[in-house]
Structure formats: structure tokens, C-alpha cells
């Protein structure tokens, strides 16, 4: 775990509507500030429940602390490539993550860049889903609807503060396809 001495982010700088949205959402959400090592600057209760950590333990550090010995190197590399490629606006990644208690979960991470009015990435938003249980069709449809609604809400909030998420519609469409493939039992 790479600890940063002092967060480079001032909590007062975050749009209040975004903070309120994080408080209300039941989807695990994390916001990272673009900068040295992309530290977490905001997480919600669902993220804390999913990972078992407290806010004090995660804020100011990169979320790679969730990765562990059995996390696939290529999965981690793909996520890292996204973080360092400012030309990509959104992405979807599967990573085996570890909770604080050491238990694992298959994390399906949806990431989007939040850009300012000049097109500069200010934050990275990550929505996280525990894909460990096999999903049935009803739950799959429910997750897709919830994800679409949440991305739409965040996009509206971001625009109010001069931030933008680009390509979310394609990300949602691709995600529905991936979730469907993951939910089909292997024979």
C-alpha cells in the first residue's frame, strides 16, 4: 500500500452535488484525483461495505491496494494502461480484488474520466460491482438499468460543474454484453 503523506485534494473542491450523489448511491463508487499516483479522494458507503475498509484507510492512496497475489497481471496492466492513456474516456475492467479480511471478489470496474471545460481530466470515477455470484437474468436486467441511471445522474451532476463524461452510452452497451456473457454458466 503506497501511503501519501498528505492528500493533494482539498475536500472543499469537490462539487457538493457529486458528494451528495455518492452518499445516496448503493453502487460502490470511488473517485480518484488525477495527479501523483491517482489517489482516492472520495468513496461511498457501498465501496466501504464491498471492500471492508474505512474511509481513513483508503483516502489519499491508489486503489491498487485492493489487488493481491492472485490478481491477474494482464488485468492489472489493462487498468493501468487506461489510467495513463488520456485519450480513452471510459473503460471496463475485470480485476480479482481482495477485501480487508483477505477474501477475494471478482470486481467489474467501470471507469470514466471527468474532464473540465478545457478537456483536461480532473478526476476518474469508478463504479464497482462484485461479479462473484452467478447472476440470473432478472438481476442482470436490474443491474443494467441501475448502471444506466447512475451514469446518467453522474453525467448531469458533472456537467453542472463543467466536467464531462464522454462515451458512456457505448460503455453501457458494451457492459450489458459482458455481464450477459459472465452470467452464462460454463459447461
Amino acid at each position: 500500500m503506497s501511503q501519501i503523506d498528505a492528500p493533494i485534494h482539498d475536500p472543499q473542491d469537490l462539487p457538493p452535488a457529486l458528494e451528495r450523489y455518492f452518499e445516496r448511491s448503493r453502487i460502490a463508487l470511488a473517485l480518484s484525483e488525477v495527479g501523483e499516483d491517482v489517489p482516492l479522494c472520495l468513496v461511498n458507503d457501498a465501496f466501504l461495505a464491498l471492500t471492508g475498509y474505512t474511509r481513513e484507510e483508503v483516502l489519499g492512496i491508489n486503489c491498487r491496494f485492493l489487488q493481491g497475489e492472485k490478481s491477474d497481471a494482464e488485468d492489472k496492466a489493462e487498468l493501468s494502461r487506461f489510467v495513463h492513456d488520456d485519450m480513452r474516456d471510459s473503460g471496463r475492467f475485470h480485476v480479482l480484488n481482495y477485501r480487508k479480511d483477505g477474501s477475494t471478489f471478482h470486481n467489474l470496474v467501470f471507469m470514466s474520466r471527468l474532464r473540465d471545460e478545457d478537456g483536461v481530466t480532473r478526476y476518474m470515477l469508478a463504479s464497482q460491482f462484485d461479479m462473484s455470484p452467478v447472476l440470473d437474468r432478472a438481476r442482470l436486467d436490474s443491474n443494467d438499468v441501475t448502471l444506466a441511471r447512475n451514469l446518467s445522474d453522474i453525467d448531469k451532476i458533472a456537467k453542472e460543474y463543467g466536467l464531462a463524461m464522454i462515451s458512456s452510452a457505448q460503455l453501457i452497451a458494451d457492459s450489458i454484453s459482458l455481464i450477459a456473457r459472465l452470467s452464462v454458466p460454463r459447461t
Side-chain angles (χ1 to χ4, degrees):
M1 194 179 314
S2 69
Q3 190 71 23
I4 295 176
D5 293 336
I8 57 175
H9 148 264
D10 180 354
Q12 320 286 321
D13 293 341
L14 290 174
L18 185 60
E19 290 187 78
R20 285 191 303 275
Y21 182 77
F22 265 60
E23 290 171 10
R24 288 190 326 260
S25 181
R26 290 186 287 182
I27 291 176
L29 300 173
L31 190 69
S32 295
E33 186 171 25
V34 175
E36 183 182 334
D37 206 31
V38 195
L40 291 170
C41 59
L42 183 64
V43 296
N44 68 354
D45 289 342
F47 176 90
L48 301 174
L50 176 63
T51 65
Y53 288 92
T54 66
R55 273 186 186 76
E56 295 75 23
E57 292 172 309
V58 303
L59 293 180
I61 61 173
N62 185 295
C63 64
R64 80 174 69 82
F65 70 90
L66 293 171
Q67 299 167 5
E69 181 179 315
K70 293 183 181 176
S71 300
D72 183 75
E74 183 52 37
D75 292 340
K76 295 187 302 186
E78 179 60 26
L79 204 150
S80 179
R81 283 191 291 273
F82 170 79
V83 168
H84 294 95
D85 182 358
D86 197 54
M87 300 304 290
R88 293 175 62 187
D89 292 310
S90 59
R92 179 188 60 237
F93 312 93
H94 170 261
V95 181
L96 180 68
N97 281 160
Y98 290 75
R99 293 180 179 89
K100 183 177 180 178
D101 68 6
S103 64
T104 60
F105 65 102
H106 291 271
N107 196 359
L108 187 58
V109 182
F110 299 89
M111 292 184 71
S112 294
R113 292 179 189 282
L114 298 179
R115 298 179 185 270
D116 65 18
E117 49 279 334
D118 295 324
V120 176
T121 302
R122 297 256 332 266
Y123 302 102
M124 290 197 194
L125 172 69
S127 303
Q128 304 182 18
F129 297 89
D130 181 359
M131 296 300 291
S132 300
V134 176
L135 302 176
D136 61 17
R137 290 286 175 205
R139 186 166 173 204
L140 175 65
D141 293 341
S142 172
N143 283 347
D144 291 340
V145 168
T146 301
L147 176 61
R149 184 176 57 248
N150 279 285
L151 284 174
S152 176
D153 291 346
I154 290 172
D155 189 40
K156 288 175 192 169
I157 291 167
K159 285 179 182 172
E160 289 178 29
Y161 291 90
L163 302 171
M165 284 189 343
I166 303 169
S167 304
S168 294
Q170 184 60 48
L171 175 64
I172 292 169
D174 292 344
S175 300
I176 292 168
S177 174
L178 176 65
I179 292 171
R181 285 194 311 272
L182 291 174
S183 67
V184 175
R186 294 182 185 181
T187 56

